[in-house]
């Protein structure tokens, strides 16, 4: 099965470099990015779209759904919750540590990276029980970091900051039938 993963278009908190758990919609740039992505994926034959429940991802999914396929909203695809960091500039944290799988640093009430990744890994594992050939997933930067780790393994140093997708960037993955335990042993 092929999975085409994309990140939503730009929202204001992306533009201003702040943590946010506010469910905000795409800004003008984000809508333009989604329209460009729509053109770029016109030749991809997907069976279904799985999408984060957040407005920015749902709006992106609606724009790019050129084949008018079903969109399944999956709450497991929500972005990593920054908790008490919401509204603060990204620079209040060491971003390398915030996105380090092995980091023991706790930033306020933000969702810990390991349970966040486990949530995404469980979503990916659940796709193995479907009969789809090609799936389009609309998510977030953090989701794309977890996808990277799932398919490539967690880097030895745990650093994943630079593994995320840019707004409306798309990446293709091939999901094979490996068991959850085999996958877990790759970290």
């Amino acid at each position: 099965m092929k999975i085409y993963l994309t990140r939503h278009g730009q929202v204001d908190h992306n533009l201003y470099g702040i943590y946010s758990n506010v469910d905000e919609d795409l800004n003008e740039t984000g809508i333009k990015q989604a329209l460009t992505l729509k053109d770029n994926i016109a030749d991809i034959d997907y069976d279904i779209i799985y999408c984060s429940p957040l407005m920015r991802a749902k709006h992106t999914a609606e724009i790019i759904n050129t084949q008018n396929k079903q969109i399944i909203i999956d709450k497991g695809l929500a972005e990593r919750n920054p908790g008490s960091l919401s509204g603060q500039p990204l620079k209040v944290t060491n971003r390398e540590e915030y996105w380090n799988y092995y980091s023991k640093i706790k930033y306020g009430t933000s969702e810990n990276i390991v349970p966040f990744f486990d949530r995404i890994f469980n979503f990916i594992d659940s796709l193995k029980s479907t009969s789809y050939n090609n799936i389009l997933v609309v998510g977030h930067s953090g989701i794309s970091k977890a996808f990277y780790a799932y398919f490539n393994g967690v880097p030895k140093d745990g650093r994943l900051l630079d593994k995320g997708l840019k707004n409306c960037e798309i990446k293709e993955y091939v999901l094979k039938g490996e068991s959850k335990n085999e996958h877990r042993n790759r970290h």
Side-chain angles (χ1 to χ4, degrees):
M1 157 190 319
K2 287 186 181 176
I3 301 174
Y4 298 93
L5 173 67
T6 191
R7 180 182 175 195
H8 61 79
Q10 185 185 75
V11 293
D12 285 345
H13 79 259
N14 299 144
L15 178 64
Y16 299 120
I18 61 171
Y19 286 103
S20 179
N21 60 9
V22 174
D23 191 10
E24 69 184 304
D25 201 357
L26 302 176
N27 60 25
E28 193 174 313
T29 299
I31 291 170
K32 289 177 185 172
Q33 290 169 331
L35 290 168
T36 299
L37 176 61
K38 176 182 175 179
D39 292 339
N40 292 341
I41 67 167
D43 294 336
I44 293 177
D45 183 26
Y46 56 91
D47 302 312
I48 196 160
I49 297 176
Y50 282 90
C51 182
S52 159
L54 299 177
M55 190 181 321
R56 56 194 180 263
K58 290 191 293 188
H59 194 175
T60 301
E62 291 164 3
I63 291 171
I64 68 173
N65 191 6
T66 58
Q67 299 177 29
N68 201 29
K69 299 285 175 105
Q70 181 183 8
I71 299 173
I72 296 177
I73 305 302
D74 191 309
K75 63 183 175 189
L77 290 172
E79 179 61 294
R80 182 181 181 188
N81 190 332
S84 58
L85 294 174
S86 187
Q88 297 184 51
L90 298 178
K91 64 184 176 187
V92 300
T93 63
N94 175 330
R95 298 283 294 153
E96 285 289 344
E97 284 301 311
Y98 187 79
W99 287 107
N100 186 316
Y101 190 82
Y102 302 117
S103 178
K104 301 296 181 206
I105 297 173
K106 177 78 173 130
Y107 288 104
T109 61
S110 66
E111 185 175 7
N112 288 330
I113 193 169
V114 173
F116 168 65
F117 273 38
D118 283 346
R119 173 165 50 93
I120 305 309
F121 293 168
N122 288 335
F123 166 78
I124 298 168
D125 283 340
S126 76
L127 296 177
K128 294 175 188 173
S129 64
T130 69
S131 58
Y132 302 119
N133 293 315
N134 299 306
I135 297 172
L136 182 57
V137 176
V138 182
H140 305 275
S141 178
I143 302 294
S144 64
K145 291 172 178 68
F147 265 72
Y148 175 90
Y150 184 97
F151 287 98
N152 298 289
V154 174
K156 289 184 186 200
D157 63 5
R159 293 179 178 213
L160 292 152
L161 178 63
D162 65 345
K163 305 304 183 199
L165 295 176
K166 295 176 177 57
N167 294 109
C168 286
E169 185 177 4
I170 190 161
K171 179 141 180 70
E172 178 184 325
Y173 291 100
V174 176
L175 182 62
K176 297 179 181 165
E178 116 185 318
S179 77
K180 190 180 221 179
N181 289 336
E182 288 171 352
H183 167 70
R184 298 282 190 235
N185 291 335
R186 292 193 321 194
H187 310 218

